[in-house]
Amino acid sequence: MAVAAPAARARETVRQKRERDQELLVWPDLVFVEFICAVLFTITFVVLATFFDAPLLNKANPNVTPNPSKAPWYFMNLQELLLHMDKGLAGVIVPTILLIGLMAIPYVDRDNEGQGSWFGTINSVRITVFSFFWSSIWISWLILWDNGSHVLVYQHLPQLWGSNTRLQWLGDKNPFAGWPVEGALKPIWDFIFLRNRLAIRDTWSWSLPVPFQPGSGPHDGRLDWPQDFTRIPLPLNGTWLWHWAQPGWMPGWMLHVYWYKSTFSLPAITAEWAVPILAMLGLPALMIIILRKIGWAHTMRDAIIALFTGFIVVYFALTIVGAAFRGKGQQLVPPYRVPNLNDDPAIQRQVPLSPSQFVVVDARTPGSGIYG
Amino acid sequence: MAMTEQPKGPGLGDWLYDKLFHNYIWSSVFRSGYPSTPRNQMLAIATNVFLHLHPTRIHKTHVKITHTYCLGGLSFFMFLGLTVTGVMLMFYYVPDVNRAFTDVQSLETNVRFGMLIRNLHRWMAHAMVLTVLLHMMRVFYTGAYKPPREFNWVVGVILLVLTLLLSFTGYLLPWDQLALWAITVGTNIAGAAPILGGQSRFVLIGGFDVGPNALLRFYTLHVIALPLLAAIFMSVHFWRIRRDGGLARPL
Ligand code: HEM
């Protein structure tokens, strides 16, 4: 019986009943709407294509790299994501999981409630609005924070009241100087006022006295972040008969998957994997917890609406930032400072050549053109 | 004076209509005249190869524009429009690094309406990505993926991926700076996969850099493989809509 249960459950799916008295004939009621739609569509695009030309820059040249180089707009969100985490995570793992997640939606949310009408369940509109603001605010904050913008804003605060002095960033100060527990408090202070994500790997530092030397750094009797954490052996490392050399009998392809000499860097993994993953899982989870606490979200559909809305917001937000706010070297700049590739003489849009620069074949006058 | 309704004699319009639509050739193409009775209207849908993807009758809520905003239909129109303009572009375009760019250039300047065709193709391609995304949003917010439509949602996601890939492969073909570097950036993203990244990028562009092999591969995918797949999945998508009892409706 246990085996038959899922099938039985699937068959329970309530099918909508036909309401024959509510039905219209497809001809003319639908076919005509489609026809009008097709006509409008055609007119719109012919007009659009008459007035706006598709771009054509200079011929492809592998030696001249435009700065910035950008992916097509619908992949600019991925390109933007690459700036904020490990490349493999942003470019492949996250999109794969998202696609699988999208496909899984109907298998997770199987209740028929609210099906077939816009925002059919009771709290769906407010959940959507909430998720819209939650996601927009967080995604903006994360991009700005990763860019260190909060530091710049703080430093330039005095300009608000007309002064030209710059404040020193809190993270660069040491309020505990000379305290007996300075070594313990300063790292916490620094962590709170980190400049951005990569600072965890590059500038954050602390040091603990230890009786032994576990890390890869100098054997100085102290455990130091980050030096001592950059070459932690993986479990497989050196395990092949406790030899650290390449297992010679292995075919090359196997060596690729057998990490006999691999180490990992905890500071890099923290900055490139852990923090981004924490943000990507934690913030949506927090949103759902809040929605449940304030009593808006009860069902799976509610949770999925919040998540899907967040996905759409982040998808478009990253696209917009990638397209309109990334200038040379993918620096975060206001849109008017994003270089226009058409102004770059190396990339410049081709001025359409005048017909005289081409060989004109005129079929009507024999002997003209290339046959002439 | 008793007024009796006299049937009017046939006017010029009637004569023209009769000549146009009641002749031997016309009726060899369209077996019956304008379907004016419900029965004939249903037959018009059911017996026409292009229309028979439709059901013959449809619930009245689904005719309202604000239910679907025609977004799925528009995506499909884009696909058709792209096929037509794409075939035209193929007449003038050779996927060879020495020719591709000049082919596009002379298409713009030397071919009558060439620029228009290229513009149409380009803008429809962008618009299709957008309408497919919006269509997905409308399906989501109307809760139309719920049982029994789970699988059609999955087919939809596959169509979304195919649409993105179609657009992406087409991006390289003009072989200008925009194309080369966008595809370089895009395929670098694929190359970032943890274990097989380098290999999959190599297979995708047929080498280490975006060059002649990449152009040929993208072209082949763009004009044959992906459109074929998309057409197949679209047929499944449309057929499933009918098998699942038309569009979703509140129970
Ligand atoms: C090339 C892409 C696509 C085309 C041409 C297409 C076409 C269509 C059309 C014509 C309809 C009829 C209703 C309407 O117009 O809204 C429809 C319905 C539907 N589509 Fe798509 N679609 C595409 C992509 C997608 C995507 C990306 C999804 C979701 C991820 C999706 C999921 C669905 C579902 C579940 C229905 C049934 C809706 C209902 O019952 O109300 N489709 N599609």
Side-chain angles (χ1 to χ4, degrees), chain A residues 17 19 24 26 34 37 49 52-55 57-58 60-61 64 73 88 102 109 111 115-116 118-119 301 309, chain B residues 54-56 58-60 66 70 118-119 123 126 141-142 145-147 149 153 167 175-177 192 247 249:
Chain A
K17 283 182 227 58
E19 296 169 342
L24 301 173
V26 163
E34 288 176 347
C37 209
F52 297 95
D53 283 347
L57 308 183
N58 270 346
N61 181 353
V64 181
W73 65 267
L102 266 185
D109 168 26
D111 190 351
Q115 136 190 324
W118 281 90
F119 298 101
R301 168 79 174 157
T309 307
Chain B
H54 294 99
T56 53
I58 184 174
H59 197 272
K60 68 175 183 208
T66 51
C70 244
R118 174 158 189 253
N119 292 348
W123 300 138
H126 284 313
Y141 288 113
T142 54
Y145 56 81
K146 293 169 173 258
R149 296 180 181 75
W153 170 270
S167 204
W175 202 248
D176 63 343
Q177 282 289 66
L247 297 194
R249 229 164 0 97

Side-chain angles (χ1 to χ4, degrees), chain B residues 67-68 70-73 75-76 128 132 135-136 138-139 142 144-145 149 152-153 156-157 159-160 163 234 237-238 241 246-248:
Chain B
H67 186 69
T68 61
C70 244
L71 286 164
S75 310
F76 184 55
M128 182 167 168
V132 172
H135 169 61
M136 176 175 79
R138 106 82 185 136
V139 171
T142 54
Y145 56 81
R149 296 180 181 75
N152 217 13
W153 170 270
V157 177
L159 280 171
L160 171 68
T163 307
M234 278 182 204
H237 197 60
F238 299 155
I241 295 174
L247 297 194

Side-chain angles (χ1 to χ4, degrees), chain A residues 13-20 22-34 37-38 41 45-46 48-50 52-66 69-75 78-79 82 87-88 91-93 99 102-107 109-120 128 256-257 259 273 301 304-305 308-309 311-312 315-316 341 346-347 349-350 352-353 355 358-359, chain B residues 34-35 38 41-42 44-45 51 54-60 62-63 65-70 74 77-78 81 97-98 101-102 104-106 108-110 115-116 118-120 122-124 126-127 129-130 133 136-138 140-151 153-154 157-158 160-161 164 167-168 171 174-178 180-183 185-186 189-190 192-195 199 243-251:
Chain A
T13 306
V14 212
R15 292 216 161 220
Q16 58 205 21
K17 283 182 227 58
R18 269 192 90 155
E19 296 169 342
R20 287 181 187 275
Q22 298 290 311
E23 283 179 353
L24 301 173
L25 288 169
V26 163
W27 183 302
D29 291 288
L30 180 62
V31 178
F32 278 46
V33 171
E34 288 176 347
C37 209
F41 155 83
F45 275 88
V46 171
L48 196 72
T50 308
F52 297 95
D53 283 347
L56 187 67
L57 308 183
N58 270 346
K59 185 175 174 179
N61 181 353
N63 301 318
V64 181
T65 313
S69 304
K70 293 192 179 182
W73 65 267
Y74 39 83
F75 284 149
L78 284 185
Q79 200 184 357
L82 287 175
K87 291 199 167 15
V92 181
I93 299 177
L99 279 178
L102 266 185
M103 294 197 204
I105 288 179
Y107 299 93
D109 168 26
R110 303 161 34 133
D111 190 351
N112 280 76
E113 197 204 335
Q115 136 190 324
S117 57
W118 281 90
F119 298 101
T128 309
H256 278 296
V257 286
W259 295 301
W273 292 77
R301 168 79 174 157
I304 300 269
I305 289 179
F308 183 84
T309 307
F311 163 68
I312 295 290
Y315 185 99
F316 283 108
L341 289 187
I347 322 279
R349 176 170 157 63
Q350 281 285 324
L353 299 179
F358 285 88
V359 189
Chain B
Y34 180 84
Q41 289 175 339
M42 291 202 277
I45 298 293
L51 296 177
H54 294 99
T56 53
R57 291 145 59 85
I58 184 174
H59 197 272
K60 68 175 183 208
H62 297 147
V63 182
I65 282 286
T66 51
H67 186 69
T68 61
Y69 291 99
C70 244
L74 278 175
F77 287 155
M78 303 283 174
V97 283
N98 297 317
F101 180 74
T102 30
V104 175
Q105 219 176 21
S106 52
E108 288 188 352
T109 42
N110 276 8
M115 190 78 216
L116 183 74
R118 174 158 189 253
N119 292 348
L120 277 172
R122 184 96 176 185
W123 300 138
M124 279 188 205
H126 284 313
V129 175
L130 211 58
L133 283 172
M136 176 175 79
M137 287 167 69
R138 106 82 185 136
F140 181 84
Y141 288 113
T142 54
Y145 56 81
K146 293 169 173 258
R149 296 180 181 75
E150 306 99 319
F151 184 65
W153 170 270
V154 176
V157 177
I158 296 173
L160 171 68
V161 174
L164 291 177
S167 204
F168 185 61
Y171 217 87
W175 202 248
D176 63 343
Q177 282 289 66
L178 190 63
L180 176 74
W181 292 101
I183 298 314
V185 171
I189 297 180
I195 295 173
Q199 281 87 337
R243 299 321 299 160
D244 295 336
L247 297 194
R249 229 164 0 97
L251 287 172

